[in-house]
Amino acid sequence: DVSDKEVAFGTTVTMDDIEQGGTLEYTILGPWESDPENGIISYQSPLGKKLIRSKNGDELQFVINEKPYHLRIAGIAVAKFA
């Protein structure tokens, strides 16, 4: 079962981008469903691995491919599928 208590496979996570400003939203799924341009990333991707198990309010700082990230988890929801 998917829960909205932490970022996991099957959740949609909304984040405040403290580094760049604005808001980001991604649905976390598997590598075959991955479609970053449409907001779907794999739990196995570098960003997905950093987000997994995060909870609302957590602040994350990391670097991927020389790009710094500073994000705050603003919301987690069970992903909706059409």
Side-chain angles (χ1 to χ4, degrees):
D1 291 333
V2 179
S3 168
D4 63 0
K5 302 295 182 208
E6 67 180 20
V7 178
F9 182 94
T11 61
T12 298
V13 57
T14 305
M15 300 159 283
D16 297 322
D17 188 338
I18 298 167
E19 184 75 23
Q20 302 292 321
T23 302
L24 301 171
E25 182 175 278
Y26 289 106
T27 297
I28 312 296
L29 293 177
W32 294 274
E33 296 91 6
S34 184
D35 186 0
E37 292 177 6
N38 289 305
I40 301 170
I41 63 170
S42 169
Y43 68 94
Q44 295 177 333
S45 69
L47 180 57
K49 287 179 181 180
K50 298 291 187 183
L51 297 176
I52 291 292
R53 294 201 172 112
S54 298
K55 295 178 174 44
N56 274 321
D58 284 358
E59 275 195 38
L60 308 169
Q61 287 188 280
F62 50 87
V63 176
I64 296 175
N65 296 330
E66 299 181 20
K67 179 181 179 196
Y69 289 84
H70 186 182
L71 305 171
R72 181 180 304 113
I73 306 299
I76 303 167
V78 175
K80 296 189 184 341
F81 300 100

